[in-house]
Amino acid sequence: MSVPKSRILDLLKVQCRIFSTTFNPERLRTGNKILRQRLKGPAIASYYPRRSATLRDLMKAYPNLETWNEDEEDRLDGLAARKQRGKGNPKKKRTKEESKKFASKKRKPAAA
């Protein structure tokens, strides 16, 4: 004594309505499991402490105020020293001709 498939589907629809689940007779992947979970954003946002004001923020907020950032000055001095020794960044090409001139100087692989 077998039960018709339409009767089983009707029973599944009623069951899903009663227990407030999604009716998915083809058993397709819908992502419903992920969508039912609680949102993680507020918990992650509250984990990290609030960002405090830095010297850079004060300098940006009050540009006319004379301030001194020792770490930034040390960094700039180091960059100037490297550039003086020839270890700085290469100069950027301003025109198309300059780019072409240096592109042709690239080594071609030697044939073996």
Side-chain angles (χ1 to χ4, degrees):
M1 185 161 121
S2 119
V3 181
K5 188 170 182 172
S6 62
R7 179 108 169 124
I8 293 174
L9 287 177
D10 290 339
L11 180 65
L12 277 175
K13 279 183 189 177
V14 172
Q15 179 184 345
C16 289
R17 205 174 324 132
I18 291 171
F19 295 110
S20 67
T21 59
T22 55
F23 178 67
N24 188 6
E26 290 87 27
R27 294 196 173 121
L28 299 173
R29 296 180 67 156
T30 60
N32 195 38
K33 175 178 156 184
I34 304 297
L35 292 173
R36 278 186 284 132
Q37 292 176 358
R38 284 188 358 197
L39 296 176
K40 296 177 184 173
I44 292 173
S46 66
Y47 178 80
Y48 294 102
R50 288 183 175 259
R51 189 169 163 253
S52 60
T54 62
L55 189 58
R56 179 178 281 171
D57 294 336
L58 288 174
M59 290 169 69
K60 194 180 287 186
Y62 303 104
N64 56 357
L65 184 67
E66 192 172 323
T67 56
W68 177 263
N69 188 350
E70 192 171 337
D71 294 333
E72 184 70 14
E73 292 296 323
D74 288 343
R75 187 183 76 82
L76 292 175
D77 289 341
L79 287 175
R82 288 183 65 200
K83 191 163 194 149
Q84 196 172 24
R85 288 183 288 155
K87 303 287 186 183
N89 293 337
K91 292 182 180 176
K92 294 183 180 177
K93 308 301 176 219
R94 293 188 180 138
T95 63
K96 205 171 196 179
E97 290 80 29
E98 286 179 353
S99 298
K100 286 181 183 177
K101 185 170 98 175
F102 288 103
S104 63
K105 287 188 177 181
K106 289 184 181 177
R107 289 186 181 180
K108 296 179 183 174

